[in-house]
Amino acid sequence: MKFRTARFVAALFTAVPALVATVPQVQSRDAITLQDQRDQIIQQQVAAIAAEGRGRIGVAAMDLDGGGQIFVNGDMPFPMASTAKIAVAATFLEQVEKGNYRLDQQFPMMLRVAEKGTPSPEAPLRPGSVMTAQSLMELMITRSHNQATDGLIKVVGGFDNVNRWLTRNGITGQRLDHTMATLVRDDGKVDPAKVIDTRTSSTPRAMIALLAAIDRGGVLSPESRAVLLDTMTRTSTGKTRIRAGVPEGTLVAHKTGTLWGVTDDVGIVRLPDGRHLAVTFFVTGPEGHAAHAKLIARMMRTIYDGYATPLGNGTQDLVRRR
């Protein structure tokens, strides 16, 4: 079996209304005056919260079923940190779909090797513990395990192949340029609040495009989509970020990212009527992760409350995901 049976939470994500969309349509929508008025109000409220931060902050949100989207610094590159692991997982799952690999196939983690003298451009790695690809993905997403991530990056042929997957699927403005070992080794060399480094970065718009493409089924098979979203619902990191900004019991599939001066959280939130809301928060600055998390939670609650009530009855007639 290439895919294990998706858990009930994944089935919930699969069985809600959705618009039928091609990948290019993920990144923009036709203007609808009434919805744009609501978007503008939500965007202004979120921007006001973001302005309280002392660094660069990027935010994006998109109602994937009812229409509506907001952006704060939407086209500015931000450090992805571990949110890059979503694209790594999607790239591997595509290889499973093609029959190149199986989820129960075993691969090694990749561990960083100590360096002497001048560091090499890429941190050297060696094989570590061997486990199934399913286990590597579980660790990579739910616990943000870097060695497991580097194991899957190696399996897919390196981060260049992750970038090819993104390009092939119409996701522009996001790229991976490091292994996790290199990213951690070099953490802190650049102040992300003051310097825009396009390496291993994403714009909020690009991350929303990736989340929307996965959620709408445009880039992965239903089985792969269920595996990935199911795994993302079990993320154990970042409980004070997106999850703190939504009512208790809300279904959330997300991935966090944390580096020096960087606090990220991106994912898909299920609204009360079953619509899906894709959200991206990239926060940089000197305040620290706890303060950043509070900003994310406040912005998330503003977005959730703003989109929780649909503008009309249009969502009742949408095509359902299969």
Side-chain angles (χ1 to χ4, degrees):
M1 293 290 294
K2 290 182 180 178
F3 298 96
R4 62 182 174 78
T5 302
R7 293 171 181 259
F8 177 66
V9 286
L12 286 177
F13 268 111
T14 303
V16 299
L19 289 174
V20 176
T22 61
V23 172
Q25 290 173 321
V26 163
Q27 301 190 55
S28 63
R29 63 179 175 85
D30 293 335
I32 303 176
T33 303
L34 182 59
Q35 291 178 331
D36 284 345
Q37 291 173 353
R38 178 174 66 169
D39 295 344
Q40 186 176 18
I41 293 171
I42 298 171
Q43 183 168 293
Q44 289 173 346
Q45 293 172 337
V46 171
I49 298 172
E52 297 177 18
R54 295 163 57 193
R56 296 188 301 119
I57 295 179
V59 181
M62 181 182 293
D63 179 349
L64 300 179
D65 300 304
Q69 59 186 5
I70 68 161
F71 296 100
V72 176
N73 293 322
D75 296 306
M76 181 182 292
F78 289 86
M80 275 197 294
S82 289
T83 65
K85 294 169 184 177
I86 296 174
V88 174
T91 303
F92 175 75
L93 287 168
E94 182 186 69
Q95 292 299 310
V96 174
E97 293 172 13
K98 291 180 177 179
N100 296 333
Y101 300 113
R102 303 187 316 274
L103 283 171
D104 62 359
Q105 192 171 347
Q106 293 196 331
F107 301 101
M109 292 185 181
M110 297 303 295
L111 311 182
R112 181 182 165 191
V113 177
E115 298 177 81
K116 296 181 180 180
T118 303
S120 58
E122 280 293 318
L125 302 171
R126 65 172 178 82
S129 301
V130 175
M131 59 185 65
T132 65
Q134 180 71 61
S135 296
L136 290 174
M137 189 177 304
E138 182 78 16
L139 287 172
M140 176 176 71
I141 298 295
T142 67
R143 301 184 188 179
S144 209
H145 198 288
N146 292 326
Q147 291 89 346
T149 306
D150 284 337
L152 286 180
I153 289 176
K154 180 175 175 60
V155 170
V156 301
F159 49 75
D160 283 341
N161 279 343
V162 177
N163 292 330
R164 292 187 184 98
W165 183 90
L166 289 166
T167 299
R168 191 166 62 249
N169 286 290
I171 311 298
T172 60
Q174 181 173 144
R175 60 176 295 107
L176 178 62
D177 297 283
H178 306 90
T179 60
M180 294 299 110
T182 303
L183 198 63
V184 171
R185 183 197 67 182
D186 297 343
D187 187 22
K189 290 185 177 180
V190 175
D191 185 346
K194 299 178 180 178
V195 178
I196 296 178
D197 188 347
T198 58
R199 297 173 301 169
T200 306
S201 70
S202 178
T203 65
R205 190 183 303 274
M207 184 60 77
I208 283 291
L210 173 62
L211 293 169
I214 291 170
D215 186 73
R216 291 177 174 181
V219 296
L220 293 173
S221 69
E223 294 86 357
S224 293
R225 175 183 174 278
V227 167
L228 181 50
L229 290 181
D230 178 35
T231 306
M232 290 171 64
T233 62
R234 295 194 299 279
T235 292
S236 61
T237 56
K239 294 180 181 178
T240 58
R241 302 179 194 181
I242 286 177
R243 287 189 180 275
V246 298
E248 185 176 355
T250 299
L251 193 60
V252 179
H254 70 123
K255 181 72 196 79
T256 58
T258 308
L259 290 170
W260 179 83
V262 175
T263 310
D264 298 339
D265 204 358
V266 309
I268 298 166
V269 174
R270 190 178 182 191
L271 295 172
D273 65 351
R275 283 174 295 132
H276 285 185
L277 183 66
V279 290
T280 293
F281 301 98
F282 293 141
V283 181
T284 70
E287 302 95 327
H289 300 307
H292 290 172
K294 289 180 180 179
L295 286 175
I296 290 173
R298 287 172 59 200
M299 291 187 289
M300 180 68 249
R301 191 54 190 247
T302 298
I303 294 168
Y304 182 92
D305 289 345
Y307 285 112
T309 303
L311 288 174
N313 298 322
T315 55
Q316 297 176 358
D317 300 322
L318 298 176
V319 177
R320 298 181 71 84
R321 292 178 181 85
R322 288 175 172 81

